[in-house]
Amino acid sequence: MSVPLRVLLDTNVYGIVVGKETAVILNNARDSRKTIFYGFSVVRNELRAVPTKWENAGGNFRNLLLDYYDKLTGPHAFASTKRIEFLAQEYSDFYSGGISKRKLWNDFLIVACASVHELDIIVSEDKHTMQSELVLKVYNIINAKNRLTTPTIHSIRVFERLL
């Protein structure tokens, strides 16, 4: 039996998950035992920030997102720590691109969490910030300095092909 992929989903993936096709992909990955999905307090807090007035198919969109997050990640969730925050700050200090560091902060925390906990993959649809070429270089340089491995960041479609 092969070792399961250890995966963290970016917040933006959960909004897409409500679409049935994406949910099927992720549920199949979880149920096949080829993948363990991990949660992170920053992602859950971003989901909690979704306005409660948003409706989807007659239900509260925020509650749907949080329920799916809880079902998918189960007991596998990480809290932010000083080490994660320090690493994210290193990314921020080293970064010198055109995207606001404030806008990138949660992305930095998500990648730092996955790096510290040696996760294999982050699934994200955020090509403009989290997956930009410059930001990826920052992750790799700072992680190498700290003797950490940078997780691979894939879109849902690429992740599906890995399964």
Side-chain angles (χ1 to χ4, degrees):
M1 185 172 162
S2 64
V3 177
L5 290 172
R6 301 176 71 223
V7 179
L8 179 65
L9 300 179
D10 188 9
T11 309
N12 61 52
V13 172
Y14 287 95
I16 298 167
V17 161
V18 175
K20 292 181 181 164
E21 183 180 344
T22 302
V24 168
I25 293 166
L26 297 176
N27 289 337
N28 287 344
R30 180 197 60 209
D31 294 344
S32 72
R33 298 189 182 179
K34 292 180 183 177
T35 305
I36 300 172
F37 290 103
Y38 288 83
F40 180 42
S41 58
V42 169
V43 172
R44 194 163 202 297
N45 289 341
E46 285 185 321
L47 294 174
R48 286 191 57 75
V50 170
T52 56
K53 64 183 177 187
W54 288 4
E55 296 286 323
N56 181 338
N60 179 291
F61 188 61
R62 184 184 101 177
N63 289 345
L64 290 171
L65 294 174
L66 289 167
D67 286 346
Y68 191 75
Y69 170 94
D70 291 338
K71 287 177 188 170
L72 195 63
T73 62
H76 308 286
F78 300 113
S80 191
T81 63
K82 295 278 186 208
R83 183 174 180 205
I84 289 169
E85 291 172 13
F86 182 80
L87 184 59
Q89 188 62 54
E90 282 191 273
Y91 297 152
S92 181
D93 292 346
F94 193 80
Y95 174 75
S96 63
I99 302 167
S100 139
K101 290 180 183 184
R102 186 175 49 78
K103 184 174 182 179
L104 287 169
W105 182 247
N106 282 351
D107 290 350
F108 289 158
L109 287 168
I110 290 166
V111 174
C113 174
S115 299
V116 165
H117 292 290
E118 301 177 352
L119 301 185
D120 303 305
I121 296 171
I122 296 172
V123 178
S124 177
E125 293 298 313
D126 188 352
K127 294 185 186 344
H128 179 66
T129 57
M130 184 181 283
Q131 296 183 55
S132 76
E133 191 174 320
L134 179 58
V135 175
L136 290 172
K137 284 181 184 175
V138 169
Y139 301 145
N140 288 324
I141 290 167
I142 297 300
N143 281 355
K145 177 185 140 212
N146 287 286
R147 295 188 176 132
L148 296 169
T149 303
T150 304
T152 307
I153 303 173
H154 290 304
S155 69
I156 292 169
R157 290 290 164 224
V158 172
F159 174 67
E160 179 183 24
R161 288 194 294 264
L162 295 174
L163 301 175

